[in-house]
Amino acid sequence: MVFNSVEFAVFFTGFFLLYWFVFNRYLKQQNLLILIGSYVFYAWWDWRFLLLLAASTAFNYYLGIHIKKAETFTRRRFLLYLGLLQALGTLLYFKYFNFFIESFTRGFSAFDLNIDVHLVNIILPLGISFYTFRTVSYIIDIYNGKTQPTTNWVIFFAYVAFFPTLISGPIDRVGLLIPQFETKRVFNYENAVDGMRQILWGFFKKMVVANNCALIANPVFDRYHDLPASTLVLGAFFYTIQIYADFSGYTDMATGFSRLLGFNITKNFNYPFFARNIADYWRRWHMSLTSWVTDYVFLPLTIRFRDYGKIGLVMAIMINLIVVGIWHGANWTFILYGVLHGLYFIPLIIKGTMNKKKKAGIASSFQSFSELKNILLTFLLVMFTNVVFRARNITEAFNYYMSLFSKTIIAKPVLATDATIVITTIVCIVVMLSIEWIHREKSYGFQIGYFKKPVLRWALYLVLITSIFCFSPAEGSQFIYFQF
Amino acid sequence: MKLFIQKILLLCLILLVILCYPLYILYKAGEFVDPDTIINRQRKEHNLFHQAYTDESGYIKLRNVRLRKPEVLVLGSSRVMGFRSFFFKNESSFYNASRGAQSTKGLNDFLDSIPDVSPKILMVSLDQFWFNERSKSSAFPMSLKRHYSLTSTFLSSFERVCFDILRGKASFNKINASNDNIGLFAIMRDEGFRYDGSFKYNKGSRQEADSLQIFKENYNSIEEDANHYEHGAVLSKEDLRELTIFLERCKKRNIHVVAFLPPYAPFIWDKLLENKSKYQYMFELQKTLPVLFAKYDHKFFDFSDITKIGGNNQEAFDGLHLSENANLRMMIEMCKQDTTLNGHCNLEHLTGLLRNADSPRNILKDGR
């Protein structure tokens, strides 16, 4: 069940009515309904993996309690390692097993040692990376004394499986979400209306911008070897917009649905295409993952490498971004993606400007030409690196890059997609980026609650809804981040 | 909460008002009918189906083959949609799965998809451009899977039906009056797939062949080296290998293959001959395939030039697609030379049909 499906519309309408009209009296009932609803939502995809989700949740629930109860440091540490072993073991098996086997086999074959190993046909459980990171942060925070374990199993199970964020995040931390599960939710009109607006904006980004970009980018990546470099640049451009509109669109929807249920979840995007440098970009892109990795990987590493000065910082950032890369999947392309982003940090570290935060457009327009230049340069770097993110393997990425650097860069681009679709997509991208630029100080792009005239607001809603109906292609309803 | 619900309902109401007319058109025209329902309804009503905004014909054809287990099966691209059930003695033993395979790999995929069905005779059309090393990427694969979902159908249809309503291509009266055909094209054009899998073209919706205007697009493609007319010197080894595998597998499954190169409109074939040096693969194919088929004891025919069996430009809808009359000509020719196929047909009856054809494009009156 995906957000942009008739099934989900029916599911959520029923759920919403039950949530606020039938189970609204008691908090426990509401939480239980969230848990049941979330499990139904997950089982809709494959009920067998529900057992894995439930087992993993139950294991971490008891582990959290026992870590807190443990009387000795050694026992606490043992329980933490046990939890990490379970979480990482599950991830390693489902996500990385074949990758490691394949890589080892290839490694040995380089030395003429041929090993006959059979790969296992493993289906990746949906959302496993997201809910595993949620449970891992839970037990680490308890171990570090930053949080208390919850003794209410319904709340913990509902927190791990909370359906708006179950499949593609954001990776909400215990400190933010569990207190909200413990407090009685009261329907807030303003919050709900704003949630609806955010859902609408998410739908527009996903179904109009992302899905149309996919129609242009996919044929370019499929036939990159036959196409001039100018077309490959366009392919990378449309893919970069696609992945942003797809993932941030999903997050907008997830945030909106959560707000309709009275929850405020972690902000995951802060207009990353308006970032002034790559460090700024990573503070704005997939923020819940970045902050997770910063807390549990980067900070411990910087402490460990503190004696090595800037080299230590480079090492910590490099490892940090490789972890971010490999979190996406078992492929050398994701590792290279992390390495490339790590390399982009080096000039910033040398210049000492890595942590220099510039708020995006405090003034009504660009503060300087150099700011615009920085935004464009950052976008180009991201776009360039997304080629490796999109490629099926390193060879494909390498060939794409090689084709990019050729004389055909000045040739006329050849897009296989219908010209009407290309023009529509460009217009929609301009609309999306313009609206987001105007609202860059707001929490999401379409926060138009400040418009005083309701007629204007309603007219905009209808324009957006009509454009969704008119310009959404039938293909590409799946979200890119579902695979992670 | 009350205010919120009221506003949501108001928004839904406004949307409903905006959407209801196109939605009604889509619903009434049968654009939302899922492929399995189409199969069931066709079985009962023998009506036409041709949806305008979605294409599940690959799945429908495959499913029908699995259900009906025909003795004589036609497989290939849209170029053989004119083979009809009344060409055969036992009409119910025939099914036309044209568009079920759009490449040599598609042939093997189709065969893989029917492990429990082994027709006695498989009539296979081998589009010439399948074997062009240069044009492989232009052949779009036909999906045999069921892709139908209400959401995607709605999204893919909505914008286009709005435009079609404005252009008069979707008329309320016509759609409202219709109660049998499924799909906007089937209703508006009276054109679509019949129960036997063949395709009914509506003469009225197609330009007359006389002007030769209908070949313009194909002729341009020859000039532009595009759209199934890509120039090419070399035969695709990969496709020959796929075909060999296909023939071997048919042999093992005791399926008698009667294959042929489908005809071009004579006007276009002449242009191809004029440009012979640019289409060397095509002429190479005419030499290679008979040898390959002989090796596996299957039958092979070359109908690239339909004039050799009496066809003409009048029988063409465009450069690639010829009418059921041209298909009947091929059928007669194949029956004459293949005893197995002849056993399923009545040659006299076939020649009679051709002689008494209603028009160059229809054998029976009004394309029934």
Side-chain angles (χ1 to χ4, degrees):
Chain A
M1 210 185 318
V2 287
F3 290 162
N4 53 335
S5 66
V6 175
E7 292 94 330
F8 184 78
V10 173
F11 165 79
F12 191 78
T13 309
F15 185 87
F16 180 85
L17 296 174
L18 285 173
Y19 185 80
W20 288 116
F21 290 104
V22 181
F23 294 92
N24 58 333
R25 284 195 182 174
Y26 303 104
L27 183 66
K28 198 171 181 181
Q29 283 186 355
Q30 250 183 355
N31 287 337
L32 197 62
L33 181 69
I34 290 179
L35 175 61
I36 294 167
S38 299
Y39 275 24
V40 169
F41 176 82
Y42 195 74
W44 202 269
W45 166 67
D46 194 330
W47 64 268
R48 288 167 302 173
F49 289 108
L50 197 58
L51 299 175
L52 180 72
L53 171 66
S56 169
T57 314
F59 181 75
N60 283 285
Y61 171 72
Y62 285 110
L63 207 62
I65 293 169
H66 283 93
I67 289 174
K68 180 70 188 169
K69 276 187 191 166
E71 285 165 2
T72 61
F73 172 73
T74 323
R75 182 164 168 75
R76 268 177 50 219
R77 198 167 58 181
F78 167 74
L79 291 173
L80 173 74
Y81 286 167
L82 196 66
L84 292 177
L85 190 73
Q86 178 273 326
L88 299 178
T90 314
L91 264 187
L92 277 175
Y93 176 73
F94 282 103
K95 209 165 173 175
Y96 303 108
F97 182 78
N98 280 343
F99 169 69
F100 285 123
I101 295 289
E102 239 177 322
S103 299
F104 276 123
T105 318
R106 278 191 198 156
F108 280 115
S109 69
F111 299 101
D112 285 340
L113 295 166
N114 291 320
I115 304 169
D116 187 22
V117 184
H118 291 285
L119 298 179
V120 185
N121 186 17
I122 301 169
I123 302 167
L124 182 68
L126 215 55
I128 189 168
S129 309
F130 292 94
Y131 73 71
T132 303
F133 269 41
R134 215 172 281 171
T135 53
V136 166
S137 74
Y138 174 73
I139 55 165
I140 294 178
D141 284 357
I142 293 171
Y143 174 80
N144 288 333
K146 285 185 184 171
T147 193
Q148 295 295 317
T150 177
T151 48
N152 184 329
W153 71 271
V154 176
I155 288 182
F156 185 71
F157 274 63
Y159 154 72
V160 175
F162 187 47
F163 72 86
T165 62
L166 176 61
I167 310 293
S168 277
I171 306 164
D172 287 304
R173 308 285 269 279
V174 172
L176 178 81
L177 219 54
I178 287 202
Q180 295 185 59
F181 274 103
E182 290 168 343
T183 319
K184 186 164 167 57
R185 266 92 60 188
V186 181
F187 184 82
N188 179 303
Y189 174 79
E190 292 300 331
N191 207 22
V193 171
D194 215 32
M196 286 296 284
R197 269 196 288 265
Q198 196 162 0
I199 292 168
L200 181 58
W201 187 237
F203 267 91
F204 174 77
K205 281 159 82 174
K206 163 64 187 161
M207 297 176 75
V208 179
V209 181
N211 287 359
N212 277 308
C213 281
L215 290 186
I216 305 170
N218 289 346
V220 175
F221 277 87
D222 289 345
R223 295 183 55 194
Y224 68 93
H225 34 74
D226 293 335
L227 298 168
S230 53
T231 312
L232 302 190
V233 172
L234 286 182
F237 168 80
F238 283 108
Y239 178 67
T240 302
I241 300 288
Q242 182 202 344
I243 194 168
Y244 166 68
D246 189 286
F247 192 22
S248 73
Y250 178 90
T251 307
D252 279 333
M253 290 182 223
T255 311
F257 287 122
S258 304
R259 293 175 79 180
L260 285 176
L261 303 177
F263 287 90
N264 283 314
I265 60 170
T266 312
K267 189 173 177 176
N268 219 11
F269 289 90
N270 187 23
Y271 313 107
F273 291 157
F274 306 145
R276 268 61 171 172
N277 59 44
I278 208 72
D280 191 17
Y281 172 81
W282 279 105
R283 281 192 290 269
R284 295 156 174 270
W285 175 271
H286 203 173
M287 293 152 74
S288 63
L289 174 68
T290 326
S291 85
W292 194 101
V293 180
T294 303
D295 287 354
Y296 302 110
V297 181
F298 178 69
L299 291 178
L301 283 174
T302 43
I303 293 166
R304 182 154 289 191
F305 296 151
R306 66 191 155 198
D307 298 336
Y308 302 101
K310 284 185 175 174
I311 293 175
L313 190 58
V314 170
M315 279 162 60
I317 285 175
M318 203 57 100
I319 294 170
N320 197 38
L321 285 163
I322 289 172
V323 170
V324 169
I326 206 160
W327 173 88
H328 287 93
N331 197 327
W332 286 100
T333 53
F334 293 124
I335 296 173
L336 183 61
Y337 171 79
V339 170
L340 284 174
H341 271 283
L343 292 174
Y344 301 153
F345 272 78
I346 294 175
L348 300 178
I349 295 167
I350 292 169
K351 277 166 50 183
T353 53
M354 193 181 90
N355 289 320
K356 211 170 154 186
K357 286 184 189 173
K358 276 188 181 177
K359 270 191 124 181
I362 296 164
S364 57
S365 58
F366 293 106
Q367 289 172 324
S368 65
F369 175 73
S370 81
E371 212 175 337
L372 173 64
K373 188 193 76 188
N374 289 341
I375 288 176
L376 288 176
L377 186 66
T378 310
F379 181 83
L380 282 176
L381 285 176
V382 170
M383 189 177 107
F384 181 78
T385 321
N386 277 346
V387 169
V388 77
F389 191 85
R390 170 66 170 75
R392 276 169 290 209
N393 51 53
I394 292 280
T395 317
E396 193 176 295
F398 179 76
N399 290 339
Y400 197 103
Y401 284 134
M402 291 309 286
S403 311
L404 263 179
F405 298 108
S406 72
K407 284 177 191 168
T408 53
I409 194 83
I410 48 166
K412 190 183 164 197
V414 193
L415 289 172
T417 318
D418 187 65
T420 326
I421 294 173
V422 177
I423 293 165
T424 312
T425 310
I426 292 170
V427 171
C428 291
I429 291 171
V430 171
V431 168
M432 178 187 79
L433 292 178
S434 306
I435 291 178
E436 294 214 326
W437 176 255
I438 293 165
H439 295 123
R440 63 196 179 279
E441 293 299 311
K442 308 247 178 231
S443 63
Y444 66 92
F446 194 61
Q447 206 165 25
I448 57 162
Y450 65 93
F451 279 24
K452 291 210 171 108
K453 288 188 177 170
V455 178
L456 195 60
R457 285 201 306 268
W458 279 69
L460 281 173
Y461 301 153
L462 289 175
V463 167
L464 225 51
I465 293 170
T466 315
S467 69
I468 291 168
F469 284 131
C470 290
F471 303 129
S472 300
E475 303 87 357
S477 60
Q478 196 67 280
F479 289 89
I480 293 176
Y481 265 70
F482 276 17
Q483 60 186 301
F484 308 136
Chain B
M1 175 62 100
K2 205 176 160 188
L3 182 66
F4 179 74
I5 301 273
Q6 278 173 354
K7 287 204 173 180
I8 293 289
L9 289 176
L10 180 65
L11 185 69
C12 290
L13 195 70
I14 295 171
L15 284 175
L16 206 65
V17 171
I18 297 172
L19 302 180
C20 68
Y21 185 61
L23 269 178
Y24 176 79
I25 293 286
L26 287 170
Y27 169 76
K28 188 69 184 163
E31 288 293 319
F32 290 140
V33 180
D34 71 280
D36 289 299
T37 310
I38 291 177
I39 294 167
N40 289 333
R41 277 184 57 186
Q42 261 206 326
R43 195 176 57 217
K44 289 175 200 155
E45 301 161 16
H46 285 224
N47 43 12
L48 298 178
F49 85 86
H50 195 193
Q51 291 165 316
Y53 310 118
T54 45
D55 185 6
E56 296 277 343
S57 57
Y59 170 78
I60 292 173
K61 293 280 173 108
L62 175 66
R63 189 90 192 109
N64 267 316
V65 172
R66 282 182 184 160
L67 289 169
R68 299 190 202 180
K69 300 188 179 6
E71 286 183 9
V72 183
L73 178 68
V74 168
L75 187 58
S77 68
S78 58
R79 295 172 73 179
V80 282
M81 297 197 300
F83 280 89
R84 305 282 304 268
S85 57
F86 60 74
F87 291 0
F88 300 87
K89 281 179 191 166
N90 179 2
E91 291 193 23
S92 61
S93 70
F94 167 81
Y95 189 71
N96 186 332
S98 52
R99 296 195 79 214
Q102 307 268 47
S103 63
T104 49
K105 188 176 176 304
L107 295 175
N108 280 314
D109 289 346
F110 200 93
L111 209 58
D112 284 339
S113 310
I114 49 166
D116 305 329
V117 186
S118 290
K120 286 180 183 165
I121 300 171
L122 188 54
M123 297 171 70
V124 182
S125 161
L126 303 165
D127 285 11
Q128 290 84 343
F129 53 81
W130 289 359
F131 299 89
N132 181 2
E133 182 68 40
R134 278 190 68 232
S135 71
K136 274 188 289 178
S137 53
S138 75
F140 71 97
M142 173 53 74
S143 174
L144 299 172
K145 287 182 185 154
R146 188 184 193 272
H147 293 288
Y148 175 85
S149 98
L150 196 58
T151 320
S152 66
T153 306
F154 174 68
L155 288 174
S156 65
S157 319
F158 185 77
E159 178 202 2
R160 288 185 283 172
V161 79
C162 290
F163 281 112
D164 284 346
I165 290 167
L166 292 173
R167 288 183 206 136
K169 287 185 178 176
S171 131
F172 179 82
N173 291 339
K174 207 163 181 179
I175 289 167
N176 216 24
S178 164
N179 56 6
D180 45 4
N181 288 351
I182 306 164
L184 198 65
F185 283 160
I187 294 170
M188 294 301 294
R189 298 181 183 172
D190 191 26
E191 188 174 88
F193 288 100
R194 299 184 185 93
Y195 177 64
D196 66 359
S198 66
F199 190 84
K200 181 191 175 192
Y201 285 97
N202 182 2
K203 193 181 164 191
S205 70
R206 304 275 162 179
Q207 291 182 57
E208 286 298 329
D210 312 358
S211 63
L212 298 182
Q213 275 297 311
I214 54 167
F215 305 127
K216 198 179 167 191
E217 207 176 296
N218 299 76
Y219 180 66
N220 288 345
S221 296
I222 293 174
E223 297 285 298
E224 289 164 7
D225 180 23
N227 299 332
H228 303 327
Y229 291 97
E230 288 87 354
H231 305 159
V234 186
L235 277 178
S236 160
K237 280 183 189 152
E238 197 186 318
D239 285 288
L240 285 174
R241 193 178 56 84
E242 279 282 351
L243 181 64
T244 312
I245 294 169
F246 173 74
L247 295 177
E248 275 172 8
R249 293 171 67 198
C250 287
K251 190 86 190 160
K252 274 183 196 161
R253 285 170 65 169
N254 245 346
I255 301 171
H256 177 60
V257 179
V258 181
F260 54 89
L261 293 172
Y264 286 94
F267 178 82
I268 291 296
W269 180 247
D270 289 344
K271 295 291 166 202
L272 290 170
L273 287 176
E274 281 171 27
N275 291 280
K276 200 170 179 177
S277 60
K278 292 177 185 167
Y279 293 97
Q280 280 174 27
Y281 83 90
M282 211 181 270
F283 301 98
E284 197 61 38
L285 192 64
Q286 290 178 317
K287 292 179 210 158
T288 311
L289 292 189
V291 181
L292 182 65
F293 276 80
K295 190 177 161 191
Y296 291 96
D297 205 21
H298 292 306
K299 280 280 175 189
F300 172 77
F301 298 86
D302 180 6
F303 295 122
S304 303
D305 182 2
I306 193 77
T307 56
K308 284 185 180 168
I309 52 170
N312 56 54
N313 282 323
Q314 310 292 317
E315 291 177 356
F317 293 108
D318 57 40
L320 290 171
H321 300 95
L322 276 76
S323 69
E324 56 193 32
N325 306 48
N327 285 265
L328 180 55
R329 286 182 196 283
M330 294 192 277
M331 187 72 207
I332 292 168
E333 197 59 29
M334 289 187 281
C335 279
K336 280 180 189 167
Q337 295 185 42
D338 185 71
T339 46
T340 317
L341 187 61
N342 196 24
H344 289 262
C345 306
N346 181 338
L347 204 50
E348 255 179 62
H349 170 67
L350 294 181
T351 45
L353 280 172
L354 189 63
R355 198 170 46 244
N356 301 318
D358 181 56
S359 72
R361 289 172 168 195
N362 285 326
I363 297 167
L364 302 181
K365 196 164 170 54
D366 300 328
R368 275 175 291 161

